[in-house]
Amino acid sequence: HKRRKMPEASAKKDLPAAASSLPSSIRHSHTLPDGRGLAYYTFSSGVEDTQLQSHHPVLYFHGFPGSGVEGTICANAAIRAKCQLFGIDRPGFGHSSPSPGGSADWDDPGAYMQCFVSDVWDFVRAKRWESLSIIGVSGGGPFALAMLDSYLKSKLASKDDAKGPANSCRLEALTVVCGIFCSAGSRGMMESNKKLVSIASLRGWKSSVAYFGLLVLLTLQRFILLQ
């Protein structure tokens, strides 16, 4: 039978102006105490930089896999709410340096997550913000909750520690969107995701070759299962 042709929708006309044109992402790098780099992105949508600097900072933690560029999808909404979004690449993702232990950190539950938390607080202290908020999406959800845990423990432990997150900045709000569960390590993780994690610690052409090889392998597995 013939497939009925659906009428053409005027989707572009119905979309809000902010949704029809995504903002451009601008990559930056923060140098950590051990010399590693933490990459992060800000987003421009025609708003003057001087205006954005007065907006409330919001950290965006991307999914898995992904990068801070992912924050582009909600940057316009943040700007309209008088917020400035900062999309952060986790260690080994995007342009951020791998964690000190590389892929071996995933065999030590919590090591990778603690590395990320420490890296982000160092970034926050360098910015000298009075307050901030955090969004964790999908795979970024557990990392957002780890930041909250670190913040609350610091507040309870000591109010005199100038290096602690409690005194460097006030956490105004935190939200997790479609967050995934993880045990802060590779235990219980699907084999394909374990391979993605190990690929994340590679750099340059090695990561491209490894990622392409993994995609081919997963495609073949699906093809075989469908037969």
Side-chain angles (χ1 to χ4, degrees), residues 199-216:
I199 289 172
S201 65
L202 300 175
R203 307 292 286 181
W205 66 270
K206 291 182 179 180
S207 62
S208 299
V209 171
Y211 187 67
F212 177 75
L214 180 60
L215 287 178
V216 172

Side-chain angles (χ1 to χ4, degrees), residues 58-82:
V58 177
L59 303 184
Y60 182 95
F61 295 169
H62 63 80
F64 179 81
S67 78
V69 178
E70 188 181 286
T72 304
I73 59 177
C74 59
N76 278 334
I79 292 171
R80 292 199 303 272
K82 302 298 182 184

Side-chain angles (χ1 to χ4, degrees), residues 129-187:
W129 291 324
E130 294 183 0
S131 64
L132 64 85
S133 296
I134 297 174
I135 300 174
V137 178
S138 188
F143 293 91
L145 295 178
M147 289 290 293
L148 176 61
D149 177 72
S150 170
Y151 177 79
L152 294 177
K153 284 180 178 177
S154 176
K155 291 282 285 185
L156 293 172
S158 173
K159 294 184 179 181
D160 299 323
D161 182 8
K163 293 185 178 180
N167 271 343
S168 62
C169 193
R170 182 175 65 258
L171 182 58
E172 290 282 358
L174 181 144
T175 186
V176 174
V177 182
C178 303
I180 65 168
F181 168 81
C182 80
S183 59
S186 59
R187 291 184 300 180

Side-chain angles (χ1 to χ4, degrees), residues 4 24 36 47 70 91 103 112 148 163 190 206:
R4 187 175 64 178
S24 58
R36 292 181 300 115
V47 179
E70 188 181 286
S103 58
Y112 180 86
L148 176 61
K163 293 185 178 180
M190 294 188 300
K206 291 182 179 180

Side-chain angles (χ1 to χ4, degrees), residues 1-213:
H1 64 280
K2 291 184 178 181
R3 178 180 292 180
R4 187 175 64 178
K5 186 177 180 181
M6 298 297 291
E8 293 184 6
S10 56
K12 290 186 178 180
K13 293 182 180 179
D14 297 334
L15 284 174
S20 60
S21 59
L22 293 175
S24 58
S25 60
I26 306 166
R27 177 161 53 91
H28 313 265
S29 182
H30 168 71
T31 303
L32 298 161
D34 61 1
R36 292 181 300 115
L38 182 71
Y40 66 97
Y41 302 82
T42 55
F43 306 92
S44 175
S45 185
V47 179
E48 294 291 337
D49 290 342
T50 52
Q51 288 181 270
L52 287 175
Q53 288 172 7
S54 65
H55 289 181
H56 177 70
V58 177
L59 303 184
Y60 182 95
F61 295 169
H62 63 80
F64 179 81
S67 78
V69 178
E70 188 181 286
T72 304
I73 59 177
C74 59
N76 278 334
I79 292 171
R80 292 199 303 272
K82 302 298 182 184
C83 296
Q84 183 178 15
L85 205 66
F86 293 81
I88 297 180
D89 286 349
R90 289 195 291 276
F93 286 77
H95 290 271
S96 284
S97 303
S99 58
S103 58
D105 279 348
W106 285 86
D107 295 324
D108 179 11
Y112 180 86
M113 188 170 284
Q114 184 55 49
C115 170
F116 175 73
V117 169
S118 298
D119 290 352
V120 173
W121 281 128
D122 185 78
F123 167 72
V124 170
R125 285 193 293 269
K127 289 294 185 182
R128 299 182 180 274
W129 291 324
E130 294 183 0
S131 64
L132 64 85
S133 296
I134 297 174
I135 300 174
V137 178
S138 188
F143 293 91
L145 295 178
M147 289 290 293
L148 176 61
D149 177 72
S150 170
Y151 177 79
L152 294 177
K153 284 180 178 177
S154 176
K155 291 282 285 185
L156 293 172
S158 173
K159 294 184 179 181
D160 299 323
D161 182 8
K163 293 185 178 180
N167 271 343
S168 62
C169 193
R170 182 175 65 258
L171 182 58
E172 290 282 358
L174 181 144
T175 186
V176 174
V177 182
C178 303
I180 65 168
F181 168 81
C182 80
S183 59
S186 59
R187 291 184 300 180
M189 187 181 290
M190 294 188 300
E191 286 301 319
S192 58
N193 282 352
K194 286 183 182 180
K195 290 182 174 65
L196 282 172
V197 169
S198 63
I199 289 172
S201 65
L202 300 175
R203 307 292 286 181
W205 66 270
K206 291 182 179 180
S207 62
S208 299
V209 171
Y211 187 67
F212 177 75

